[in-house]
Amino acid sequence: PASTVGGDFFDLIELDDNRAGILIADVMGHGARSALVTAILRALVRNHANEVKEPGDFLTEINHHLTEVISRSGQTLFVTAFFIILDTRECKATWAVAGHPAPLRVHRGSGKSPEPLWTEPPHQPALGLIADAQYRSEESPLRPDDLFLLFTDGAVEAENPEGEIFGMKRLAASFDDALDGPMAAMPAKIVCEVTSFQKRQNYDDDVCLVAIEATRAHTES
C-alpha cells in the first residue's frame, strides 16, 4: 500500500477440483476511502463466488451491485479489474477485463519473452461507472508451464528521480528474469526491482503483483 491502507487487492476462488478463479482489482485512489470500497468489493466477490461460470458474467454481476453502492454514496468512484479462470480439465484460460492493464503471459522454456494477453484496448469500462455494462469473456488454450503476471498500475507507473516510469518493457524484463527463481519469490523480486528503480521505499500508488503458474500434474505409479 502507498499509505497505511490500500485499494489494490487480489483474490483466489476455488471453483471446483479443476477450475480456479483469480481476481485482481485496483480501486481509484488510495488510502481509507479506497480501502473501504475494497472491503465492499471483496464482500461482493465472496457473496457471488458460488455463481461463477464465465468471467464476463461474473464481472457484469459484480459491477451491477457495486454501481448501486457507489451511486448511493453520491461520489464518483471506480475499480479496474481483471478476472481469469484456469481450467485444467478443459485446458483453457478464460478471462474478462474491466479497464485493467493486460497481464503478461509466457511459456516456461519456450525462449520467448513475456507478452501482454492483448494489445488492442478491449473497451470494457471500469467497474462502478455504468450500471448495465456487459463484460465479455475471452478464451485461449492453457498448457502446463504457462505463467501469468497480474499487476496493478502502481508498478508500471512508478517514477525515478528523473521522471521516467518503470513501464511495461521493464516489467516484462523483470518477469522474464524472475522465471529462473522460485514462483513464491517472484512478486517480491519484481517489487524490489521497482523500488530500486525509483530509488525510494515509499510509493505514490498502491502496488499489487500476482504470479500464476499452470504446473504439470504429478501422477503416482
Side-chain angles (χ1 to χ4, degrees):
S3 55
T4 307
V5 291
D8 288 8
F9 84 100
F10 74 94
D11 206 349
L12 173 65
I13 305 170
E14 184 179 355
L15 301 175
D16 55 42
D17 290 343
N18 303 288
R19 295 185 307 139
I22 302 94
L23 173 75
I24 188 168
D26 182 354
V27 179
M28 168 188 167
H30 57 269
R33 187 176 71 164
S34 295
L36 177 59
V37 177
T38 297
I40 295 170
L41 181 60
R42 190 185 295 274
L44 287 173
V45 168
R46 284 294 163 178
N47 287 343
H48 295 277
N50 60 348
E51 304 169 10
V52 176
K53 293 182 175 62
E54 291 292 331
D57 294 341
F58 183 61
L59 288 189
T60 298
E61 185 71 13
I62 296 298
N63 175 70
H64 175 72
H65 293 287
L66 183 64
T67 304
E68 284 187 348
V69 173
I70 291 175
S71 65
R72 289 197 296 268
S73 73
Q75 301 184 56
T76 300
L77 292 168
F78 61 84
V79 181
T80 70
F82 173 81
F83 183 55
I84 186 169
I85 294 177
L86 304 181
D87 188 329
T88 57
R89 173 179 290 167
E90 300 294 332
C91 297
K92 66 180 181 180
T94 314
W95 66 85
V97 59
H100 202 81
L104 294 169
R105 180 177 188 169
V106 68
H107 186 72
R108 190 187 291 278
S110 67
K112 297 182 179 180
S113 299
E115 295 183 345
L117 274 180
W118 62 83
T119 54
E120 293 295 325
H123 301 296
Q124 299 280 270
L127 305 177
L129 292 175
I130 304 172
D132 59 352
Q134 299 292 313
Y135 296 89
R136 62 180 178 272
S137 298
E138 305 289 345
E139 180 182 309
S140 70
L142 178 68
R143 299 178 294 170
D145 301 325
D146 277 351
L147 290 96
F148 302 84
L149 182 68
L150 283 54
F151 59 92
T152 57
D153 58 12
V156 293
E157 293 179 359
E159 289 189 8
N160 65 13
E162 289 73 40
E164 298 175 299
I165 64 169
F166 192 71
M168 285 295 299
K169 287 185 178 180
R170 289 186 179 91
L171 183 65
S174 296
F175 182 30
D176 200 18
D177 291 343
L179 293 177
D180 294 332
M183 276 290 293
M186 183 181 290
K189 182 179 186 299
I190 296 173
V191 169
C192 285
E193 292 190 18
V194 178
T195 302
S196 176
F197 171 81
Q198 68 172 9
K199 296 182 173 62
R200 55 191 172 94
Q201 293 294 322
N202 60 308
Y203 284 82
D204 294 324
D205 194 6
D206 301 327
V207 174
C208 183
L209 296 167
V210 183
I212 309 164
E213 181 172 14
T215 58
R216 295 182 180 276
H218 296 284
T219 57
E220 297 181 359
S221 57

